[in-house]
Amino acid sequence: MAVVTRVSLDKVRNIGISAHIDSGKTTLTERVLFYTKKIHAIHEVKGKDQVGATMDFMDLEREKGITIQSAATYCMWKGYNFNLIDTPGHVDFTIEVERALRVLDGAVLVLCAVAGVQSQSLTVDRQMRRYKVPRLVFINKMDRAGANAFRCVKMLKEKLHLNAHLINYPIGAEDQHKGAIDLVTMRAFYFDGDNGEFIREEDIPAELLADCKKYREELIAAVGEFDDVVGNKYVEGQEPTVEEFRAGVRKATLSLKFAPVFCGSAYRNKGVQLLLDGVMNYLPNPMERENVALDQHNNEAKVILESNAKKPFVGLAFKLDETRYGQLTYMRMYQGSVAKGDFIFNSMNDRKVKVPRLVQMHADEMHEVEEAQAGDIVAMFGVDCSSGDTFTDGTIKYTMTSMFVPNAVISLAVQPKDKAAQNNFSKALNKFTKEDPTFRVHRDEESGQTIIAGMGELHLEIYCERMKREYACEVIVGKPQVAFRETITQKGAFNYTHKKQTGGAGQFGRVAGYMEPLPLDAGVNYEFVDDITGGVIPRQYIPACDKGFQEAVKEGRLIGFPIVGVRCVINDGAYHDVDSSEQAFKTASLMAFREGYERAGAVVLEPIMKLEAMAPEEFQGSVMGQINQRRGMIMNSSTNEGFCVVEAEVPLADMFGYATDLRSATQGKGEFTMEFCKYSPVPRSMQEEMIKKHQEKKAKDKK
């Protein structure tokens, strides 16, 4: 049984560490665990270290040197309890960041001191804004050639539009990086010992004093806009005390309109303890965040949850993990408390569940606890549910909003190599879909194939590899399939009468109106508008018309992919007292849609990816040439410390095999990140070719 130190809620910090891939999040987390005495030795993410970083506990993570799953832990720092989640940086595993930020109170955005703000930094910033999470910024890798903290701050302002200011001034950079100066206390800190565990505090070096005073002045002015005490002292030309200054920085950070910037090198063990102090001083405790639930007994009225152990229990299941002991459900406690053996209720299906085991997670280690309270992040065994379900104590029925789940952009046909492994194959797919909402599985009725869909090639590759390792089920993988869509470009009228007479009661329904395109960036795929007047279609048949249209948009007429961005308006029709029925109007609407679709300028859409490719400057021409060959549109290119960064928008259909091509064109020195950007019409010639292939396939299937 782990002894959990129970601290008052104002000393609890629930934080996440997020960043672009390879910025050093897991290395930073490893140092945090070491300095808080949670682990006794530091292990590295990559290289000759056989043990591997604590938070990258999956074999695949250790082999590839990347984080695939978010991992939770907890530690103590100066009497404060930190619940910490280390998240992946790769865009293919973006749901892990999404769900972590949904339940956390604060976050640390890690940047590489050389590259600064990269493509995935923009995505993480969007996610932090979506869930209104206050953040600190840590500029890591200050020891690397080309490191420049001041350029990073400039990029934070220009690219992320953050009101970012240095709280720590770096003492030197690259191989001269020695430590950091705290601009609040105006003291210099150096980190001695093999692992930087001995902190030496000194006066600011004379050559840096003038610069530090200038940056401190800017910091006071910026904080003064959020805090009257600091603001008044700044106007009067007085110095705020350290306590006043810290309180001002905290207030500014919690407003979400200010980002304090720390700097150091996690790998070289410099500056991490100052960041921990920053989390303690400037990020919110659970009582300082507003968490809203919807009361299902009161028309979904909004209820502000209180981080109070005496109130009725409310918790959100935000992550599921299948272990050898059964399903492990990660839960953020928002209100009330839960003890081992208590009964809790799932608000989604009203099922009553007993909590047989409560644990606090330290990566893949489980530490048993007897009770959990508001503000805690715990895991439960034996609680069967889906990701995003809300639990209560049964006296109330509240639900909380779940996380944002992006759409899949790529799919693969998979089947087990060995027919005997069919059972394990099904088990694996069930487990993966339950634990990862961005991993989707369906059966193609026409071909009888099992199709898996996800966020990118790496995402699906990892799951295929996990099937082999965890379920002893090798799979045969088909060609990747791009998630194309269809839409309309103009208004298309329809007027369809469905008549069927086959002895006894017939079928009759007339549906008339028009369809028109919706803006694709609005995020609405389908809209139904009822403009019927005078009862030409009785009210009870209107939902059937909606159902008919919904059925029609599932499969487009051009290449058989779903139709998006369509508004269907019905404004006329006719019915028969005897022969009209729900089924008749559903069929009439389905056929009316097809009639209007032919007149509405239907086009095929393809997913366009936002690509960021990086390589040494001498390969810039090759990198750009490759992007142009793949129908890419270059949006921006820049050079930075001998490296070129090319930003482009490229169709996903042309991006298969790009990793290999980029490596061979850049002597293995190029790397890239890619994420979904938008849907865009395919070129006319390509559309005609796709339609022709679809018609041939349909004709073949009919035979």
Side-chain angles (χ1 to χ4, degrees):
M1 181 76 63
V3 179
V4 178
T5 313
R6 177 64 65 191
V7 298
S8 59
L9 262 182
D10 61 330
K11 291 192 170 181
V12 173
R13 300 286 181 271
N14 293 317
I15 59 161
I17 296 184
S18 306
H20 183 89
I21 191 166
D22 256 0
S23 298
K25 297 176 300 303
T26 306
T27 306
L28 173 61
T29 310
E30 192 77 2
R31 293 337 184 248
V32 168
L33 294 176
F34 180 75
Y35 297 134
T36 57
K37 299 190 166 47
K38 192 78 189 169
I39 57 174
H40 304 297
I42 291 172
H43 295 289
E44 302 307 343
V45 177
K46 294 178 181 172
K48 295 174 186 163
D49 196 325
Q50 295 302 306
V51 180
T54 307
M55 302 302 271
D56 282 353
F57 54 83
M58 277 173 72
D59 289 344
L60 270 170
E61 292 180 311
R62 290 182 172 175
E63 280 170 32
K64 290 182 179 283
I66 60 169
T67 303
I68 292 168
Q69 288 187 327
S70 54
T73 186
Y74 63 99
C75 52
M76 296 292 292
W77 177 253
K78 296 184 179 177
Y80 281 70
N81 184 12
F82 291 3
N83 290 313
L84 193 145
I85 298 182
D86 174 30
T87 63
H90 204 288
V91 70
D92 285 22
F93 310 109
T94 192
I95 189 67
E96 294 288 335
V97 187
E98 204 73 55
R99 58 171 145 218
L101 290 177
R102 167 65 185 85
V103 298
L104 293 169
D105 301 324
V108 177
L109 172 64
V110 183
L111 294 184
C112 167
V114 183
V117 173
Q118 295 166 274
S119 61
Q120 191 62 10
S121 319
L122 297 164
T123 306
V124 170
D125 173 66
R126 265 203 315 275
Q127 291 166 327
M128 288 178 182
R129 289 176 197 265
R130 181 180 292 133
Y131 300 113
K132 299 184 171 60
V133 178
R135 93 279 296 268
L136 307 179
V137 180
F138 183 67
I139 297 172
N140 193 20
K141 304 193 177 185
M142 280 301 296
D143 59 304
R144 275 185 57 187
N148 186 332
F150 308 105
R151 186 180 62 233
C152 287
V153 173
K154 194 175 169 208
M155 288 172 88
L156 283 165
K157 291 176 176 174
E158 290 172 0
K159 287 193 170 186
L160 298 185
H161 310 293
L162 284 177
N163 182 7
H165 289 268
L166 283 173
I167 290 271
N168 282 357
Y169 187 94
I171 303 173
E174 302 181 349
D175 55 352
Q176 296 302 306
H177 179 57
K178 294 185 177 71
I181 294 157
D182 183 350
L183 295 179
V184 174
T185 59
M186 287 300 270
R187 300 289 291 161
F189 293 88
Y190 301 89
F191 305 88
D192 302 331
D194 291 344
N195 298 310
E197 62 268 53
F198 304 115
I199 304 168
R200 179 161 43 95
E201 186 181 331
E202 290 187 2
D203 290 337
I204 295 171
E207 69 274 15
L208 296 179
L209 192 58
D211 252 4
C212 285
K213 282 182 175 171
K214 182 186 123 199
Y215 276 91
R216 188 173 198 265
E217 188 86 0
E218 284 177 17
L219 182 62
I220 293 173
V223 170
E225 291 183 23
F226 299 92
D227 185 85
D228 292 344
V229 176
V230 176
N232 291 338
K233 288 209 166 179
Y234 176 70
V235 171
E236 290 161 14
Q238 295 176 13
E239 282 288 312
T241 65
V242 169
E243 285 69 31
E244 287 168 347
F245 204 170
R246 277 195 184 137
V249 174
R250 180 180 182 79
K251 196 172 176 183
T253 307
L254 299 194
S255 75
L256 302 174
K257 293 175 182 165
F258 180 86
V261 182
F262 295 76
C263 50
S265 166
Y267 187 63
R268 300 281 175 213
N269 311 308
K270 289 180 171 58
V272 178
Q273 294 96 322
L274 296 183
L275 176 67
L276 286 171
D277 287 344
V279 169
M280 182 177 83
N281 291 324
Y282 307 130
L283 285 182
N285 65 54
M287 296 182 292
E288 290 172 309
R289 289 293 309 281
E290 186 180 277
N291 295 301
V292 178
L294 304 174
D295 188 349
Q296 298 303 319
H297 287 154
N298 185 15
N299 286 332
E300 297 205 339
K302 287 188 176 180
V303 184
I304 306 290
L305 298 177
E306 287 180 52
S307 296
N308 183 339
K310 304 276 188 289
K311 292 268 182 180
F313 162 66
V314 181
L316 180 72
F318 67 94
K319 177 177 160 67
L320 310 178
D321 208 352
E322 281 291 336
T323 70
R324 60 181 182 275
Y325 308 114
Q327 182 176 303
L328 185 65
T329 304
Y330 286 78
M331 196 172 293
R332 164 70 200 262
M333 312 277 291
Y334 283 101
Q335 190 174 278
S337 64
V338 162
K340 213 158 92 169
D342 280 0
F343 285 96
I344 57 176
F345 291 79
N346 188 334
S347 292
M348 298 301 164
N349 53 25
D350 290 327
R351 278 173 61 189
K352 181 179 171 184
V353 190
K354 189 178 182 180
V355 181
R357 275 180 80 190
L358 262 179
V359 294
Q360 266 197 311
M361 298 302 293
H362 169 50
D364 58 343
E365 289 174 24
M366 294 165 210
H367 299 163
E368 299 265 352
V369 291
E370 287 296 325
E371 187 191 41
Q373 295 183 1
D376 289 344
I377 292 175
V378 290
M380 299 175 179
F381 270 111
V383 175
D384 188 38
C385 65
S386 297
S387 190
D389 284 1
T390 306
F391 284 87
T392 67
D393 61 358
T395 60
I396 50 176
K397 190 174 181 185
Y398 290 174
T399 56
M400 299 188 74
T401 54
S402 189
M403 48 274 184
F404 169 78
V405 180
N407 291 323
V409 293
I410 181 173
S411 56
L412 291 173
V414 289
Q415 64 183 74
K417 222 175 199 176
D418 181 2
K419 286 280 180 281
Q422 185 68 46
N423 197 20
N424 280 3
F425 179 66
S426 303
K427 268 191 200 165
L429 293 180
N430 279 338
K431 176 197 164 180
F432 298 153
T433 47
K434 214 169 180 188
E435 67 182 43
D436 181 354
T438 58
F439 179 77
R440 297 170 174 92
V441 180
H442 72 273
R443 189 172 168 78
D444 186 328
E445 293 307 327
E446 282 183 16
S447 64
Q449 290 177 307
T450 301
I451 310 291
I452 58 172
M455 302 304 295
E457 279 185 283
L458 179 66
H459 188 210
L460 299 183
E461 182 194 311
I462 293 286
Y463 277 117
C464 292
E465 188 62 32
R466 280 183 66 188
M467 275 188 241
K468 182 178 159 186
R469 293 182 186 208
E470 295 170 32
Y471 289 86
C473 172
E474 270 199 72
V475 291
I476 300 165
V477 177
K479 231 179 122 203
Q481 168 109 56
V482 177
F484 290 104
R485 292 287 178 266
E486 296 184 25
T487 192
I488 56 173
T489 54
Q490 63 199 43
K491 198 168 170 178
F494 51 77
N495 184 350
Y496 187 84
T497 305
H498 174 60
K499 260 196 272 193
K500 204 172 179 188
Q501 205 68 45
T502 49
Q507 284 190 20
F508 180 87
R510 181 170 81 84
V511 175
Y514 60 90
M515 60 175 66
E516 59 185 0
L518 285 167
L520 286 173
D521 54 5
V524 182
N525 287 338
Y526 163 78
E527 209 175 83
F528 174 68
V529 179
D530 167 20
D531 261 355
I532 294 293
T533 51
V536 287
I537 297 178
R539 303 262 31 103
Q540 70 264 32
Y541 298 138
I542 301 293
C545 297
D546 186 10
K547 277 183 193 159
F549 291 136
Q550 284 186 36
E551 191 68 35
V553 297
K554 283 181 187 170
E555 191 180 315
R557 307 287 288 162
L558 300 180
I559 58 166
F561 276 86
I563 299 165
V564 295
V566 178
R567 178 187 285 126
C568 294
V569 182
I570 53 170
N571 53 22
D572 198 6
Y575 72 103
H576 187 277
D577 287 336
V578 178
D579 291 350
S580 284
S581 64
E582 277 199 19
Q583 187 54 49
F585 274 100
K586 188 179 171 187
T587 308
S589 301
L590 178 71
M591 301 311 288
F593 184 94
R594 289 178 180 174
E595 186 184 282
Y597 195 61
E598 285 175 15
R599 299 171 183 161
V603 292
V604 175
L605 298 172
E606 61 179 339
I608 303 293
M609 309 302 281
K610 189 169 149 205
L611 171 77
E612 187 178 271
M614 288 147 286
E617 236 173 297
E618 65 263 32
F619 300 113
Q620 187 167 3
S622 308
V623 172
M624 286 181 154
Q626 278 188 344
I627 292 170
N628 288 329
Q629 280 168 6
R630 293 169 183 268
R631 294 194 291 129
M633 185 184 286
I634 292 165
M635 311 304 283
N636 189 22
S637 76
S638 57
T639 52
N640 179 1
E641 304 293 336
F643 259 74
C644 73
V645 179
V646 181
E647 292 169 38
E649 289 181 0
V650 196
L652 176 62
D654 290 87
M655 287 306 286
F656 298 117
Y658 178 65
T660 313
D661 289 358
L662 179 67
R663 283 191 200 113
S664 57
T666 59
Q667 295 170 9
K669 295 170 187 167
E671 55 183 69
F672 74 98
T673 58
M674 191 168 72
E675 67 175 309
F676 174 71
C677 175
K678 62 183 179 188
Y679 269 102
S680 202
V682 301
R684 178 63 60 187
S685 59
M686 192 173 153
Q687 177 168 315
E688 283 164 8
E689 183 66 29
M690 289 167 85
I691 293 169
K692 191 175 155 199
K693 275 188 185 166
H694 180 63
Q695 299 300 347
E696 284 169 6
K697 184 176 179 289
K698 274 175 79 175
K700 194 175 162 191
D701 290 344
K702 272 183 187 171
K703 285 177 190 172

